[in-house]
Amino acid sequence: MDNKQDKELIDLALSGERQAFAALTDRYYMTVYRYAFRWVSVREDAEDIAQEVCIKLANSLHTFNWRSAFSTWLYRITANCAKDFLRKHSRWDKNRSPDFPDERLVSQNPGPEARSFHEQIVAAIHVLPEKLKEATLLVFAEELSHKEAARVLGCAEATVSWRIFQAKKTLKKVLS
Amino acid sequence: MKISNDDLKRAFQKTAIPEPSEESKKLALQRAADQFATKSPFAEKRCKRIPAFFRHMGKSLARLLTIKGEPIMTRTSFATISVIIIVAGVFLTVGTNMHFFSKREVVITDEKTEIPLTTAEPPPIEETKNRVAAAPDAPKEQPVQGHAVRSVEGELSAPVGRGVAGRGDYDKYSQVSKSPDTTAGKVESGAMMQERVAPSGPVRDISSYYYKDEGRDRFTEIKANQVNLVAEQPVSTFSIDVDTASYGFVRRQLNSGVLPQKNAVRIEEMINYFDYNYALPEDRSKPFAPTVAVYATPWNSNTRILHVGIKGYDIPPAAKPRSNLVFLVDVSGSMNSPDKLPLLKNSLALLVDTLSPEDTVAIVVYAGAAGTVLEPTKINKKGKILAALDRLQAGGSTAGGAGINLAYSLAEMNFDKRAVNRVILATDGDFNVGITNQAELKSYIERKRATGIFLSVLGFGQGNYNDALMQTLAQNGNGTAAYIDTLNEARKVLVDEANATLFTIARDVKIQVEFNPAQVHDYRLIGYETRMLNREDFNNDQVDAGDVGSGATVTALYEITPAAGKEKLIDPLRYNVQTAPEESKAPASMEYGFVKIRYKLPDSDTSTLITQQVGPAQEYNSIGAVPADLRFAASVAAFGQLLRQDPYTRDFTYEDVLSLAGPARSTDPFGLRAEFLNLVRLAKSARGM
């Protein structure tokens, strides 16, 4: 998605052009949804989050200041919505089943071997602390560079690298 | 084991992300676009100041936004400017000024606005910083004038209902954003003039700061039973109905000064709302004795009322079976209203109090997805149950179908053949995700009914109340449908009548009345329109019908025209070929008719028959001699017909209902009949909509 097109759309939207705003949300819906799905692993929840992000966008588009790419900003909003969602639902949602088996379900299965290594990794992401999870998702799922991830997270590049290191360490412990 | 970067990358690449549904994408974009068009700061320049008295509104609003100390606003947005949009519907009381305020948004923009928007746990600073990321540069880029309207849609209950078409308008949530450092200031006094702004957004009243729907209550259409000529149709058959939902809904509407829509008035449910002092059966094997009476119709001097009443056997406390209950609770966004989820929690807590220690309760919730909040838990761990109830929060869409699945599977897990196995569904009736097809839900519930798990329905809220679906579910699940509008009603249904709600003493109860053409010219059944059966269904044990709970009363009224009467509801045929029918059946000729009741005992699949003839022995000559309870039932029937504007009540008025019901109040320990009289008075002055 090129930045110039974004700029045009956003400027138009800020001048009150509804179609420009509609085009902008349409263009980014899938990005937002996919990233949200990485956070929650349940389709319906990801859809809920994506909708909230879109509405939030309508409210706060004017605060976007072009210090970063639009997508970077969007990652931030999405992550915040996802975290809020998880906090809100963690209280009672212990038993909802994600769209792929997680470690709770695995225990009833023949054993961890029943699942591929990769599936185990993705399931284990959800046990990471929020900050480590966020860094991991940005770097490995969204495939951003450490530098780009640092921009999204609003921290130093070294911090990202450190979080990735910690995340891998934790995952190793969980999976072994 | 080693995890490389490549492993991680590949792991994510290999995990398929399911496509979002087209529907929800469309809805998300639509809502965002609506939000953009109406609420976003750059869409229009908004007004600036607030009149002094609005400040007060701000405070009460702030109070409203906190239920039981639990912040509804889970997040706050941090503009330096505190803003509240109040649409002028709030000021309904202003009366004549209404047109002046309406369709206008009032924006509090003063930096020192005194709005103690208390959130129970203010987010720690560290966290708030993070959250600002939602609008990362807000503080810096806030328009200098400080007049921007910043509305935070959906902050009240994230996630906003992802409901599909037919859901409440998201923009009926409130929009409030606040600044963390302005909570203790004062509103700067001043001219506080309100500026006219372009109309935008619907008119709202204060209650709209919760989710609110209007005019989407759904009822099955009812057409009043017609008058039948005994010569043509001597037999009338129907299924009993012990629901009371209709009365609750009617009461709620009348209490808010509005006449209920006609289809919401089911006369039999209004009559059956009250407990009548009918003869009690002696033991469980013959669960009820019929009470029949004939007396003059209050609203028509030419006709008579044939009154059929039954009272179910009341199981003594010691003989009560164990209960295995699963509460299936709707926590979707539409339940976010003080008359829904909070009332629901209190109601279920009342029910938990009436259960005995060995009973079990499980709680399943559903919104966007379904989840178990509480595994089946014995009542002796009451604290745990109440705590689980207390944690429920509203938000998201409504996957009722998935919830029902999960609830039944829990009930099955804990199934006890000798116990009462029941799923209690508490909802506003809006199922929009998963199995949404009524027919499919119905057949699912029917199948589960066959396995011994029954379903009862508690309805909440108005505006988007899906009565039609609730009735379908309860009727097919061998349960009752009750409508809970107040805590008092919850007490009636779940405490006083808990036995009737939980313990079935007779299933598939059908009533068939055969009229004697020699005595009765024509008849019509009052109410039970949605419960009519075919004549042949009476003897067919496969045909489902209503169930009677322990101690419940059921009443049915017929208006009959005696054959000897001078004025008839239907004129005799001029070309009547039929001559005197077989007068040979002389012994029965004095009888008005013959009442037959069929029922099955809870654990039996074959029905038993009870019969009772209606003759002069059951007749009262003057209305004064009629027992008070019967007169009261007749007055409720009259009231229902007046509300429905049925064509049979002639010049009977609400006043007449009052003078008929007033002296018939009898003991009335809970004030229910007194309340009824009040409703009649309210109906006199209620608006049409």
Side-chain angles (χ1 to χ4, degrees), chain B residues 18-94:
Chain B
E19 285 293 305
S21 75
E22 266 305 300
E23 213 170 48
S24 59
K25 178 180 174 184
K26 236 165 58 196
L27 191 78
L29 298 186
Q30 184 56 47
R31 288 189 168 173
D34 290 352
Q35 175 70 6
F36 181 82
T38 54
K39 308 289 163 6
S40 68
F42 28 85
E44 278 167 83
K45 295 271 176 274
R46 300 286 155 89
C47 67
K48 291 139 192 161
R49 295 275 164 101
I50 47 154
F53 80 95
F54 288 9
R55 267 175 286 156
H56 176 70
M57 303 306 297
K59 279 193 227 166
S60 22
L61 176 63
R63 238 169 276 132
L64 255 178
L65 288 170
T66 325
I67 314 178
K68 286 179 82 181
E70 197 155 349
I72 300 180
M73 302 207 319
T74 50
R75 256 161 303 135
T76 44
S77 152
F78 299 100
T80 42
I81 292 157
S82 174
V83 175
I84 287 189
I85 305 171
I86 303 171
V87 179
V90 168
F91 308 107
L92 277 169
T93 48
V94 179

Side-chain angles (χ1 to χ4, degrees), chain A residues 33 48 59 65 73 84 168, chain B residues 5 18 35 75 136 141 162:
Chain A
Y33 166 79
D48 276 348
N59 292 320
N65 66 358
W73 191 63
D84 283 339
K168 280 200 281 190
Chain B
N5 287 356
Q35 175 70 6
R75 256 161 303 135
E141 300 223 341
R162 191 173 45 85

Side-chain angles (χ1 to χ4, degrees), chain B residues 544-562:
Chain B
D544 185 51
D547 298 357
V548 176
S550 166
T553 59
V554 180
T555 303
L557 302 182
Y558 281 95
E559 183 177 354
I560 55 175
T561 312

Side-chain angles (χ1 to χ4, degrees), chain B residues 416-568:
Chain B
D416 179 349
K417 215 176 145 217
R418 283 161 310 167
V420 171
N421 300 283
R422 198 177 277 278
V423 173
I424 298 182
L425 168 63
T427 176
D428 58 0
D430 199 13
F431 287 15
N432 56 26
V433 180
I435 316 180
T436 51
N437 182 337
Q438 276 206 22
E440 202 178 333
L441 270 173
K442 188 180 138 192
S443 63
Y444 180 76
I445 284 162
E446 274 173 359
R447 244 173 271 131
K448 291 296 175 186
R449 183 188 71 209
T451 68
I453 300 170
F454 297 166
L455 178 80
S456 290
V457 182
L458 302 176
F460 290 85
Q462 67 166 359
N464 191 20
Y465 180 60
N466 190 347
D467 179 81
L469 179 63
M470 313 279 244
Q471 289 293 317
T472 310
L473 295 185
Q475 285 179 23
N476 294 292
N478 274 5
T480 50
Y483 179 80
I484 311 276
D485 54 343
T486 60
L487 198 55
N488 207 25
E489 179 67 12
R491 186 193 48 72
K492 175 179 182 286
V493 174
L494 299 175
V495 181
D496 303 338
E497 295 168 3
N499 292 346
T501 313
L502 295 180
F503 308 117
T504 305
I505 52 153
R507 295 188 298 120
D508 296 348
V509 183
K510 303 167 195 168
I511 297 184
Q512 186 166 61
V513 181
E514 183 186 345
F515 292 96
N516 177 6
Q519 289 297 328
V520 182
H521 179 261
D522 52 51
Y523 68 91
R524 78 182 173 90
L525 177 58
I526 301 172
Y528 290 96
E529 286 87 354
T530 57
R531 301 285 183 144
M532 295 312 292
L533 293 176
N534 295 328
R535 188 170 166 179
E536 63 274 18
D537 293 341
F538 186 70
N539 289 333
N540 185 347
D541 285 349
Q542 299 302 310
V543 176
D544 185 51
D547 298 357
V548 176
S550 166
T553 59
V554 180
T555 303
L557 302 182
Y558 281 95
E559 183 177 354
I560 55 175
T561 312
K566 40 188 190 304
E567 198 182 321
K568 295 177 173 124

